[in-house]
Amino acid sequence: MSKESSQTLDRGSFLWRFSKKFNFAAENIIPDPLVFCLILTILVFAAGVIFTDYGVMGMLTSWYNGIWSQIAFAFQMSFMVVTCAVTARSKQVKSGLKKFAKLVSTPTAAVILLMAFGYASSFLNWAFCTIVTPILAMQLTKHVKGLHFPMLIAAGYSTMCLGQCLGPSASVYALLAGKDHFLVDKIGVLTQSVTTYNPMNVIVWIILAVGTIILTLKTMPPKSEVVEYQAADDDDEVEIEEPKNTFADKMNGSRVIMTLIGIAGLVNIVFTFMKNGFLGSLSLNFVIFIFLTANFLLYNTPSKFINAYRDNLSLATDVMIQFPFYGGISGMMADSGLGQIIVGGLCQLATAYTLPVFSYLSASVVNLFIPSQGGQWIVQGPIIMDAALRLNANVPHVVNAFVYGDEATNLLQPLYVIPALSVVGMKLKDVWGYMAFIWLFWCIATVLGLLVVPMFV
């Protein structure tokens, strides 16, 4: 091998060298997530004052009202993050992941295993996937040498985002399948067989899912630039026997109490599935309840249970603080009409054939300001559905495109990756460049898929 060829191989593949260019923004431009949130707040406020007639006091009032409108949702999301993290960090789940990681012995097999697991767990619940995937990544890097940990975290996080585009628990798909959603008079009830699992959506999802795995494999760095996970091993924690001298100690260490509550939870879960069916049961509260019930059984004494929640509460800090501020952004966008201006401007350029692409692009933009699929649909849904009906476009395809756009820019919008980073002790700048690199691939592939695939199905 020539000296020149050796130097080229040492630099890694073209894709690796190209992906590194995104790190400049991550290291020099991208601030901490809270700063990102506050900057967006200022930008939306200024845009509302300049481009609408809503006025300064109107924007301030909508910002204030929007903050408090999201308090309940902020707690709901925070509780879900913590509860899923408690499940993912239980010794039973960690032991299972450790054994699971030993099924592979090469970096290629490890990446495929991680991402396939991520897609599967995302179908179950996005928050669980967000927490459990980096834990599996840690186990894989301890077992398989040569894995670039920041890329694993970014790729694993991408499985959570993409999984929502074909999973039954995505907010918009679940909402439109209900009989009382707020657009039912316009578009009727759209079951998940029509929206989530129509041929176009399935094909585009498979292209993106397989393509992202291939992209990750082709972007792994040369050995000289590999960053492996270096944290201390906490898998073999010594379980401290709880004192059982007093009546209070016995109650704190009672397995009977936890078993009874766990059984009660299981009965409710089974009854709900029998009553409403699987897809009809998957509300946000019900998913949280499933994991909460699991924790009563995984942590078999009250003291272990509450200590596990104490240990994981820090994961919810950024979500609890930032969700209300994103509620304020959402309030300003909706009340001022700024959201309608952004979406309407894009949709005016569309035809029936291209409307899904414009739905995708507009959702991608709006998601940066309203990083909640349900909240974003409230602002954007009526506009793109009116456009779809007016242009006689394929409504399910337009809905699919909206979901892809909403999920794609979760790779740029840092809110939902925070819990994953907290689990592994990393900063946003460590992984944002790789996330942005994946986003670019998604953007190109999705736009092409929305234009080409409908021509054949």
Side-chain angles (χ1 to χ4, degrees):
M1 182 180 293
S2 68
K3 183 177 179 181
E4 184 178 347
S5 298
S6 177
Q7 289 176 342
T8 301
L9 288 175
D10 289 341
R11 292 169 56 205
S13 67
F14 166 76
L15 286 175
W16 166 251
R17 298 195 301 274
F18 181 66
S19 72
K20 288 171 65 178
K21 297 183 184 299
F22 291 85
N23 288 336
F24 174 83
E27 294 172 359
N28 299 282
I29 300 174
I30 302 301
D32 287 337
L34 178 61
V35 178
F36 188 90
C37 173
L38 297 179
I39 289 174
L40 284 179
T41 300
I42 295 169
L43 290 176
V44 171
F45 175 83
V49 172
I50 294 171
F51 297 110
T52 74
D53 298 326
Y54 204 52
V56 171
M57 287 309 302
M59 294 296 287
L60 287 174
T61 300
S62 294
W63 174 66
Y64 174 81
N65 292 336
I67 286 176
W68 302 115
S69 71
Q70 296 298 312
I71 288 296
F73 187 52
F75 174 78
Q76 189 181 38
M77 297 298 290
S78 299
F79 190 47
M80 179 167 67
V81 167
V82 175
T83 297
C84 290
V86 169
T87 303
R89 285 176 154 179
S90 68
K91 66 178 183 180
Q92 296 92 331
V93 172
K94 288 170 69 176
S95 176
L97 291 177
K98 187 175 183 179
K99 295 176 182 177
F100 195 52
K102 292 181 178 179
L103 294 175
V104 296
S105 57
T106 66
T108 297
V111 169
I112 294 173
L113 179 70
L114 175 73
M115 298 189 70
F117 176 83
Y119 292 134
S121 60
S122 181
F123 293 157
L124 177 63
N125 176 257
W126 71 265
F128 180 70
C129 175
T130 302
I131 301 299
V132 78
T133 304
I135 294 176
L136 177 58
M138 287 190 289
Q139 299 297 341
L140 287 168
T141 55
K142 293 172 186 176
H143 179 64
V144 179
K145 298 300 180 183
L147 288 170
H148 189 58
F149 194 62
M151 177 62 85
L152 282 188
I153 297 302
Y157 174 68
S158 78
T159 65
M160 182 280 288
C161 300
L162 187 57
Q164 296 304 292
C165 299
L166 198 69
S169 59
S171 300
V172 170
Y173 293 148
L175 175 70
L176 296 181
K179 298 180 180 179
D180 54 354
H181 68 85
F182 65 91
L183 293 175
V184 69
D185 292 338
K186 290 184 178 181
I187 61 175
V189 174
L190 301 180
T191 64
Q192 297 215 26
S193 61
V194 173
T195 55
T196 318
Y197 302 111
N198 67 70
M200 190 279 291
N201 194 48
V202 173
I203 293 172
V204 171
W205 189 89
I206 291 174
I207 292 171
L208 289 173
V210 174
T212 307
I213 293 175
I214 295 173
L215 185 74
T216 304
L217 292 173
K218 295 297 183 180
T219 314
M220 295 300 287
K223 292 181 179 180
S224 60
E225 297 185 55
V226 168
V227 177
E228 297 183 332
Y229 181 67
Q230 299 294 337
D233 195 336
D234 62 350
D235 291 325
D236 301 318
E237 299 175 22
V238 177
E239 188 172 313
I240 300 175
E241 187 68 26
E242 298 166 341
K244 298 181 180 179
N245 299 324
T246 67
F247 177 77
D249 290 335
K250 291 179 180 179
M251 290 297 98
N252 292 337
S254 173
R255 298 189 178 190
V256 174
I257 292 174
M258 302 299 284
T259 301
L260 289 175
I261 298 298
I263 291 174
L266 287 175
V267 170
N268 273 286
I269 291 169
V270 172
F271 177 76
T272 302
F273 279 135
M274 292 176 62
K275 180 181 178 182
N276 301 325
F278 180 75
L279 295 180
S281 301
L282 294 179
S283 67
L284 186 57
N285 285 339
F286 184 70
V287 170
I288 296 172
F289 184 74
I290 290 174
F291 286 99
L292 180 63
T293 299
N295 290 336
F296 278 107
L297 300 174
L298 292 170
Y299 298 87
N300 54 10
T301 70
S303 58
K304 291 179 184 177
F305 179 87
I306 195 63
N307 286 334
Y309 272 81
R310 288 192 182 109
D311 291 342
N312 286 280
L313 276 173
S314 61
L315 299 180
T317 301
D318 290 273
V319 175
M320 179 63 76
I321 294 296
Q322 292 182 49
F323 256 87
F325 282 98
Y326 281 113
I329 293 172
S330 178
M332 290 189 291
M333 290 278 288
D335 294 347
S336 68
L338 191 60
Q340 286 85 340
I341 291 174
I342 294 174
V343 179
L346 287 172
C347 288
Q348 283 182 357
L349 303 174
T351 64
Y353 175 63
T354 62
L355 183 62
V357 172
F358 283 95
S359 174
Y360 172 81
L361 296 174
S362 61
S364 297
V365 173
V366 175
N367 182 58
L368 293 173
F369 303 94
I370 310 177
S372 163
Q373 190 175 109
Q376 184 177 343
W377 181 253
I378 292 173
V379 174
Q380 188 173 350
I383 302 167
I384 61 173
M385 288 298 95
D386 283 344
L389 295 175
R390 186 169 63 251
L391 295 171
N392 198 28
N394 187 304
V395 170
H397 290 182
V398 174
V399 173
N400 295 144
F402 166 86
V403 175
Y404 280 107
D406 167 77
E407 293 298 335
T409 43
N410 282 334
L411 291 168
L412 304 179
Q413 154 63 255
L415 183 61
Y416 293 107
V417 76
I418 294 169
L421 297 178
S422 299
V423 168
V424 296
M426 300 180 74
K427 296 184 179 297
L428 178 64
K429 67 179 182 179
D430 296 329
V431 300
W432 190 88
Y434 305 116
M435 290 162 53
F437 175 62
I438 294 171
W439 169 82
L440 179 62
F441 163 72
W442 280 11
C443 185
I444 296 171
T446 306
V447 169
L448 291 175
L450 292 172
L451 291 174
V452 174
V453 174
M455 298 170 64
F456 299 96
V457 296

